[in-house]
Amino acid sequence: MNDPERAMLLSVHPRFATAILAGTKTVEVRRQRVAAPPGTPVLLYATAPTMAIVGMARIASVQVATPREVWTTSRTSTGISRREYDEYMSGATRASGLSLEEPVSFEVPVPLASLRATGSFHPPQSYRYLTDEDVRKLAAATPSTGVALHRALGDLASV
């Protein structure tokens, strides 16, 4: 998998996953620098109590700046209050605002148990890039998610 083709696995709280997939939250913020090109597929792993990959989106752009600058440009799209944002960013010197587009909900989420059945799978604390092997295992674990995942990752899964 070439760098421009690598997919990202992003852990988010279930309420944020729901908002991203509904299109009401279009910017996901992170406390660290995220370097991902536009078009990068992002698989959304909803944390406890859901514990499943529930859908995906694509990165439209990434803004890396101070937490204040990211908030100023993205506040209406983050789906969180200023207080939540400030608490999350406390102590951070850099922040990333991931603008997401083309959200797709999976008809059947891919539960953590299914992901672990294909081998050692550990959801990331924040995010991680998927290796070729990760993508192949994920494609094998997701026959019931419909064509969305396979269409998005098909070229990657075939390498």
Side-chain angles (χ1 to χ4, degrees):
M1 184 181 324
N2 297 331
D3 281 349
E5 297 175 327
R6 66 185 177 170
M8 177 186 287
L9 179 62
L10 186 66
S11 290
V12 294
H13 290 286
R15 85 176 226 231
F16 299 136
T18 299
I20 290 167
L21 296 171
T24 58
K25 176 179 173 60
T26 58
V27 174
E28 176 63 19
V29 293
R30 295 292 149 147
R31 292 174 46 94
Q32 66 274 14
R33 182 181 187 277
V34 175
T40 299
V42 177
L43 297 175
L44 300 171
Y45 177 82
T47 60
T50 305
M51 298 189 305
I53 296 177
V54 295
M56 64 175 295
R58 290 197 180 271
I59 292 180
S61 64
V62 177
Q63 177 192 16
V64 178
T66 66
R68 180 183 302 265
E69 291 168 326
V70 170
W71 177 258
T72 298
T73 60
S74 305
R75 66 178 166 258
T76 60
S77 304
T78 62
I80 59 175
S81 69
R82 177 64 189 255
R83 181 178 176 173
E84 288 174 299
Y85 182 83
D86 288 344
E87 287 174 8
Y88 176 66
M89 289 293 170
S90 179
T93 58
R94 300 305 278 169
S96 293
L98 286 71
S99 293
L100 301 173
E101 62 186 5
E102 302 175 24
V104 175
S105 294
F106 293 156
E107 291 176 25
V108 179
V110 185
L112 183 58
S114 294
L115 296 165
R116 288 191 169 154
T118 65
S120 175
F121 178 86
H122 301 284
Q125 183 70 28
S126 178
Y127 75 94
R128 72 177 169 94
Y129 294 102
L130 298 172
T131 65
D132 294 343
E133 184 65 19
D134 292 332
V135 171
R136 278 192 287 277
K137 286 180 179 179
L138 186 57
T142 59
S144 62
T145 61
V147 296
L149 178 64
H150 296 284
R151 189 178 304 137
L153 297 180
D155 292 339
L156 303 179
S158 65
V159 294

